[in-house]
C-alpha cells in the first residue's frame, strides 16, 4: 500500500528547520571567504550518486543541503562580491520568495492566482514609473535580461513584419520580408543570444563603432528605416557607459525604426536624482529590458520587459486554448514566454515596496559612490583605471595582461572579496561591479587592501 501523504504539521516543521538554516547561513556570510574552498566544492559529491530506492525525510534532505551545500556556495549575497552585476537579495524580497513557495501559485493565469496577477501588474507599473518610461506600457516579469530582451524583441519582430503585411507568429520567418538589426560594437551577449533564439541571427547584425568608453557613435549609424530594429545600451557591462540616446533616438523614430534598449542595470539610474541625466533620451524608445535581480536587489530570478505599445507584445506572446480561462483583465500568459511560471512578480512587488523611491535612489547612489572609492584607492596605489567611472563599474589594470590575471587569481583564492577579469578594447583588466545594498564602506576598504596585497605579491 502506498504511504500516506505527509500532514500539514510535517510541512510546517521542515520550514522551521529551513528558517534556522537560512538564518545561520546569513549570519555567517560576512565571516566566510567569498568563494568556497576546494574541499567544500569536492564535498558536493556527497549529494550525487544514484537516486535512493527509499524515501528520505524532509528534515534529512534539508540537513544535507545545509551541511554540504551551504559551505560550497559563493557568497553573492554578501557585501564583498563584485564579480558580476549581482545584487544581494533585499529582506522583503527574500521573505516574499519563501511565501511565494508556500503559496505554490502558477502565475500564468489570473484565475489561478489573483494575487500573483495583481501584484505583478502593480510591480510592473512601479518599475515603469521608477525608470521614467511612458505611461501605458505593456510588460512582463521574466527570469532576467536575456528573456526580457527576447520578449521585447519578439514584440519588435512582430511589429515590423506586421507593417509589411506578414504574420510572423502564424507564418514563421521563411520567406518573410527583410529586417535589419543594428547594434553597438559592444552589445551585450544576452541580447545577441535573444536575437539567435528569435531567428534574427547572431551574426546578421550591423555593428556600429563605439567610442573610448564603449558608447555607440551617433555619427556612425547606418541608414535606418521602418524595417530596422536599433538596439541601444544603457549601462555597458564593462564600463557602465550609456549610448547617446538623446542624440540618436529622435532621428531613429523619424525613420520609423523600432528602438530597443538593453538596460539590464543601467536603466535604474533613472531612479536617482544624481544619475538620472544618464538615461535622458532612452524614454523615446519602443521597448526596454532590465533586471530586477541587479540594482533593485530583488533576488533570483527576476527580469522585466516593457513595451511602449502593449499590442505587439501581446500578439507575440498570446496563448489560446479552450481550457484556458481568460478574463477581461490583463492575463500574464499573454505577455510572457511561459504559461506555467513562478509568481516572481510578488517578489518584485515586495522589494520595490520595501525600497520606495528613496530606497531605490540610495542603492544607485551608494553603490556608485563605492565604485568611485575603489577607483580612487587603486589609482592612489599606482594602478591604472582604464575608463571613466560612470556608475558602478570599474576596470583596473595591474600592468601586463599576465600580471593582471595573476592578481585576479590570487584575489579570488585569498577570499576577502571576489572580482573577475575581462578584456575590453584590447586591455586585460579586473572588473569590479558594485551592485549590492549590503556593501558598506568597510567592505570596500577591506577589499581594497586585499586587492593591493594581491597585486604586490612578487611574480
Amino acid at each position: 500500500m502506498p504511504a500516506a501523504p505527509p500532514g500539514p504539521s510535517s510541512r510546517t516543521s521542515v520550514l522551521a528547520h529551513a528558517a534556522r538554516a537560512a538564518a545561520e547561513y546569513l549570519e555567517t556570510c560576512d565571516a566566510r571567504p567569498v568563494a568556497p574552498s576546494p574541499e567544500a566544492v569536492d564535498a558536493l559529491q556527497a549529494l550525487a550518486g544514484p537516486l535512493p530506492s527509499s524515501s528520505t525525510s524532509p528534515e534529512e534532505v534539508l540537513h544535507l543541503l545545509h551541511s554540504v551545500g551551504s559551505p560550497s556556495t559563493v557568497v553573492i549575497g554578501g557585501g564583498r562580491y563584485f564579480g558580476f552585476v549581482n545584487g544581494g537579495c533585499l529582506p522583503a524580497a527574500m521573505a516574499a520568495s519563501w511565501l511565494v513557495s508556500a503559496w505554490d501559485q502558477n502565475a500564468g493565469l489570473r484565475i489561478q492566482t489573483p494575487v500573483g496577477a495583481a501584484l505583478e501588474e502593480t510591480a510592473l507599473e512601479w518599475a515603469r514609473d521608477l525608470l521614467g518610461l511612458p505611461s501605458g506600457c505593456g510588460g512582463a516579469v521574466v527570469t532576467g535580461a536575456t528573456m526580457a530582451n527576447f520578449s521585447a524583441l519578439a514584440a519588435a519582430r512582430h511589429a515590423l513584419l506586421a507593417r509589411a503585411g506578414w504574420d510572423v507568429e502564424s507564418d514563421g520567418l521563411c520567406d518573410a520580408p527583410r529586417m535589419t538589426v543594428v547594434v553597438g560594437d559592444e552589445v551585450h551577449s544576452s541580447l545577441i543570444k535573444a536575437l539567435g533564439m528569435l531567428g534574427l541571427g547572431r551574426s546578421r547584425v550591423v555593428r556600429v563603432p563605439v567610442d573610448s568608453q564603449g558608447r555607440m557613435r551617433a555619427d556612425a549609424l547606418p541608414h535606418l528605416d521602418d524595417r530596422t530594429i536599433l538596439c541601444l545600451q544603457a549601462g555597458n557591462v564593462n564600463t557602465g557607459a550609456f549610448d547617446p540616446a538623446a542624440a540618436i533616438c529622435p532621428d531613429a523614430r523619424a525613420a520609423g525604426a523600432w528602438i530597443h534598449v538593453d538596460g539590464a542595470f543601467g536603466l535604474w539610474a533613472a531612479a536617482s536624482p544624481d544619475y538620472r541625466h544618464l538615461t535622458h533620451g532612452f524614454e523615446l524608445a519602443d521597448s526596454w529590458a532590465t533586471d530586477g535581480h541587479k540594482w533593485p536587489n530583488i533576488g533570483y530570478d527576476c527580469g522585466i520587459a516593457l513595451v511602449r505599445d502593449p499590442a505587439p507584445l501581446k500578439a507575440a506572446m498570446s496563448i489560446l486554448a479552450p481550457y484556458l480561462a481568460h478574463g477581461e483583465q490583463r492575463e500574464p500568459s499573454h505577455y510572457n514566454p511561459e504559461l506555467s511560471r513562478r509568481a516572481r512578480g510578488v517578489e518584485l512587488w515586495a522589494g520595490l515596496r520595501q525600497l520606495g523611491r528613496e530606497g531605490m535612489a540610495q542603492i544607485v547612489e551608494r553603490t556608485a559612490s563605492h565604485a568611485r572609492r575603489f577607483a580612487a584607492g587603486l589609482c592612489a596605489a599606482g594602478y591604472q583605471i582604464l575608463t571613466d567611472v560612470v556608475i558602478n563599474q570599474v576596470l583596473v589594470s595591474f600592468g601586463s595582461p599576465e600580471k593582471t590575471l595573476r592578481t585576479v587569481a590570487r584575489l579570488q583564492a585569498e577570499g576577502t572579496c571576489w572580482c573577475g577579469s575581462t578584456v575590453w578594447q584590447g586591455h586585460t583588466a579586473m572588473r569590479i561591479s558594485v551592485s549590492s545594498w549590503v556593501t558598506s564602506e568597510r567592505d570596500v576598504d577591506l577589499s581594497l587592501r586585499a586587492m593591493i596585497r594581491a597585486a604586490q605579491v612578487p611574480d
Side-chain angles (χ1 to χ4, degrees):
M1 172 180 283
S9 61
S10 66
R11 292 198 290 181
T12 55
S13 172
V14 76
L15 287 177
H17 286 289
R20 288 194 293 272
E24 178 182 309
Y25 177 80
L26 292 172
E27 287 165 358
T28 59
C29 276
D30 194 53
R32 279 186 48 196
V34 177
S37 68
E39 293 78 16
V41 175
D42 290 343
L44 289 171
Q45 289 301 312
L47 305 181
L51 180 68
S53 57
S54 57
S55 300
T56 307
S57 72
E59 289 77 13
E60 176 61 19
V61 171
L62 188 69
H63 171 74
L64 284 169
L65 280 174
H66 184 45
S67 62
V68 179
S70 291
S72 64
T73 59
V74 176
V75 188
I76 293 175
R80 297 192 296 276
Y81 181 83
F82 311 113
F84 299 93
V85 192
N86 295 160
C89 187
L90 290 163
M94 184 182 296
S97 174
W98 290 15
L99 194 55
V100 166
S101 293
W103 287 350
D104 195 23
Q105 303 287 281
N106 183 343
L109 297 172
R110 187 175 290 268
I111 197 171
Q112 288 182 299
T113 176
V115 64
L119 293 186
E120 177 177 301
E121 199 167 355
T122 298
L124 283 168
E125 175 58 20
W126 287 352
R128 180 209 62 77
D129 189 29
L130 284 168
L131 297 172
L133 302 181
S135 60
C137 288
V141 180
V142 293
T143 53
T146 302
M147 289 311 297
N149 280 318
F150 174 87
S151 301
L153 291 168
R157 183 184 67 174
H158 171 89
L160 266 61
L161 289 178
R163 292 174 189 170
W166 188 269
D167 185 342
V168 66
E169 285 75 35
S170 294
D171 300 329
L173 286 172
C174 292
D175 301 320
R178 171 197 59 83
M179 284 191 298
T180 301
V181 180
V182 177
V183 302
D185 206 33
E186 294 189 10
V187 59
H188 194 273
S189 55
S190 68
L191 189 141
I192 294 296
K193 179 177 180 179
L195 291 172
M197 291 191 294
L198 287 164
L200 298 176
R202 297 187 182 210
S203 300
R204 293 188 65 191
V205 295
V206 177
R207 289 182 174 264
V208 180
V210 297
D211 67 11
S212 62
Q213 302 298 315
R215 297 170 295 213
M216 182 185 287
R217 285 176 43 200
D219 63 344
L221 281 170
H223 173 73
L224 306 176
D225 59 25
D226 62 359
R227 304 280 180 84
T228 303
I229 302 174
L230 172 64
C231 300
L232 303 183
Q233 188 168 217
N236 183 296
V237 74
N238 279 308
T239 71
F242 291 67
D243 287 341
I248 291 173
C249 288
D251 288 345
R253 289 191 66 82
W258 179 289
I259 307 167
H260 172 69
V261 178
D262 176 14
F265 62 98
L267 272 179
W268 292 98
S272 161
D274 292 348
Y275 291 92
R276 188 173 298 145
H277 65 280
L278 295 171
T279 65
H280 178 56
F282 287 102
E283 75 281 357
L284 298 174
D286 298 285
S287 60
W288 305 264
T290 191
D291 270 324
H293 52 233
K294 288 188 170 66
W295 249 342
N297 285 209
I298 301 303
Y300 282 86
D301 49 29
C302 183
I304 302 163
L306 292 165
V307 179
R308 178 184 293 271
D309 179 2
L313 180 61
K314 185 176 181 181
M317 296 294 165
S318 285
I319 181 169
L320 301 172
Y323 72 94
L324 297 176
H326 295 149
E328 295 299 319
Q329 294 177 283
R330 175 187 181 273
E331 288 292 350
S333 59
H334 285 335
Y335 297 88
N336 290 271
E338 310 100 338
L339 174 59
S340 297
R341 61 192 183 92
R342 178 180 177 80
R344 61 179 66 90
V346 176
E347 296 155 51
L348 178 60
W349 179 93
L352 293 180
R353 180 63 184 261
Q354 176 189 331
L355 290 173
R357 291 182 182 277
E358 291 182 358
M360 187 64 244
Q362 287 167 6
I363 285 182
V364 173
E365 291 160 11
R366 188 166 59 247
T367 53
S369 175
H370 292 330
R372 292 195 300 273
R373 190 181 185 93
F374 271 120
L378 290 165
C379 184
Y383 304 111
Q384 183 185 8
I385 305 303
L386 296 176
T387 66
D388 297 339
V389 179
V390 179
I391 40 174
N392 63 332
Q393 303 292 100
V394 182
L395 292 183
V396 56
S397 168
F398 295 99
S400 68
E402 296 76 16
K403 170 71 172 177
T404 297
L405 292 175
R406 284 194 295 268
T407 300
V408 172
R410 283 193 289 261
L411 184 68
Q412 292 175 353
E414 189 267 349
T416 297
C417 64
W418 204 98
C419 298
S421 62
T422 189
V423 177
W424 179 78
Q425 294 194 0
H427 299 280
T428 298
M430 184 174 80
R431 191 180 70 136
I432 307 170
S433 298
V434 194
S435 309
S436 178
W437 69 277
V438 181
T439 301
S440 65
E441 288 188 359
R442 174 179 176 272
D443 289 317
V444 175
D445 291 342
L446 285 171
S447 300
L448 268 172
R449 289 196 287 272
M451 291 171 185
I452 294 167
R453 284 196 306 271
Q456 290 176 342
V457 173
D459 291 323

